[in-house]
């Protein structure tokens, strides 16, 4: 396993629609392991493959669901089958460091796909886990959470987004080796 660099706002791979995975093999399982390690090293709770430069329809999440429990999933070629409700909540993103904004998403969803062994899975999720999966699925379509904000809010953030696109990271942004604590960005 290895920690891969997370691509930052402005990197063209973040705007690509990821390709369907056609084969679940050891190479893909290694990518899943690397993504999990990367997500943990960066202090995240979700990561899409294109955030590490691989334009394939694969995401991982590791989300707290109860006081001492976490939901850990890898989803290959995920598809939302049903959405229910609507809720707004604050989101951040490992690829858009330093920005946190409220985004409205479905409160509950049913998503299908494959796990890292190639088995079909169906997840009926709600709350923070549903938000994380939707956030990562957006990445697979080349959509960032800032795209879901109002035009006025995006205009307000333009200077920060332009700085990220130029490679200027926010003050206090630290590489994984310098991080402490559990984090929580998507």
């Amino acid at each position: 396993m290895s920690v891969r660099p997370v691509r930052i706002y402005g990197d063209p791979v973040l705007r690509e629609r990821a390709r369907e995975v056609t084969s679940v093999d050891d190479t893909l399982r290694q990518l899943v392991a690397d993504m999990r390690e990367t997500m943990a090293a960066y202090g995240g709770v979700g990561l899409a493959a294109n955030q590490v430069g691989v334009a394939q329809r694969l995401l991982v999440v590791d989300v707290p669901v109860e006081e001492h429990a976490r939901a850990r999933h890898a989803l290959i070629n995920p598809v939302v089958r049903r959405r229910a409700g609507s809720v707004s909540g604050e989101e951040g993103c490992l690829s858009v460091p330093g920005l946190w904004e409220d985004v409205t998403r479905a409160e509950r969803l049913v998503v299908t796909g494959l796990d890292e062994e190639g088995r079909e899975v169906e997840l009926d999720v709600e709350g923070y886990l549903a938000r994380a999966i939707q956030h990562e699925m957006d990445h697979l379509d080349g959509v960032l959470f800032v795209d879901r904000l109002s035009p006025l809010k995006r205009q307000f953030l333009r200077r920060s987004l332009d700085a990220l696109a130029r490679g200027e990271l926010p003050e206090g942004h630290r590489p994984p080796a310098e991080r402490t604590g559990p984090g929580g960005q998507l």
Side-chain angles (χ1 to χ4, degrees), residues 135-164:
H135 178 108
E136 301 313 328
M137 287 183 70
D138 271 358
H139 275 296
L140 300 179
D141 291 328
V143 176
L144 300 172
F145 86 97
V146 294
D147 301 331
R148 298 214 173 267
L149 304 175
S150 71
L152 182 61
K153 182 55 101 171
R154 281 196 310 273
Q155 186 61 34
F156 178 74
L157 297 174
R158 178 61 33 213
R159 188 175 303 170
S160 295
L161 294 171
D162 289 346
L164 286 172

Side-chain angles (χ1 to χ4, degrees), residues 11-162:
D11 189 311
V13 73
L14 295 173
R15 294 303 188 174
E16 288 181 35
R17 185 179 195 305
R19 298 176 309 279
E20 293 279 324
V21 172
T22 57
S23 175
V24 179
D25 56 16
D26 287 343
T27 300
L28 188 75
R29 282 187 281 280
Q30 182 60 56
L31 175 58
V32 169
D34 289 354
M35 288 174 59
R36 284 183 168 137
E37 187 170 337
T38 300
M39 177 178 57
Y42 276 83
V45 295
L47 192 67
N50 52 349
Q51 288 182 274
V52 293
V54 179
Q56 290 189 313
R57 296 192 74 74
L58 165 64
L59 66 86
V60 296
V61 291
D62 185 349
V63 175
V65 290
E66 294 175 13
E67 188 174 341
H68 298 290
R70 300 187 73 82
R72 294 179 173 97
H73 300 283
L75 287 172
I76 300 163
N77 300 331
V79 175
V80 172
R81 299 297 180 190
R82 280 190 307 278
R83 297 177 196 269
S86 178
V87 64
S88 290
E90 190 173 64
E91 291 185 20
C93 181
L94 296 176
S95 292
V96 189
L99 296 181
W100 294 83
E101 294 294 334
D102 283 343
V103 177
T104 300
R105 299 209 183 258
E107 188 171 19
R108 185 177 191 143
L109 66 128
V110 174
V111 62
T112 59
L114 303 175
D115 68 11
E116 64 262 44
E117 299 304 322
R119 297 178 298 235
E120 291 185 21
V121 294
E122 178 177 283
L123 303 175
D124 187 344
V125 297
E126 61 186 348
Y128 192 39
L129 180 56
R131 175 173 299 282
I133 290 173
Q134 290 170 89
H135 178 108
E136 301 313 328
M137 287 183 70
D138 271 358
H139 275 296
L140 300 179
D141 291 328
V143 176
L144 300 172
F145 86 97
V146 294
D147 301 331
R148 298 214 173 267
L149 304 175
S150 71
L152 182 61
K153 182 55 101 171
R154 281 196 310 273
Q155 186 61 34
F156 178 74
L157 297 174
R158 178 61 33 213
R159 188 175 303 170
S160 295
L161 294 171
D162 289 346

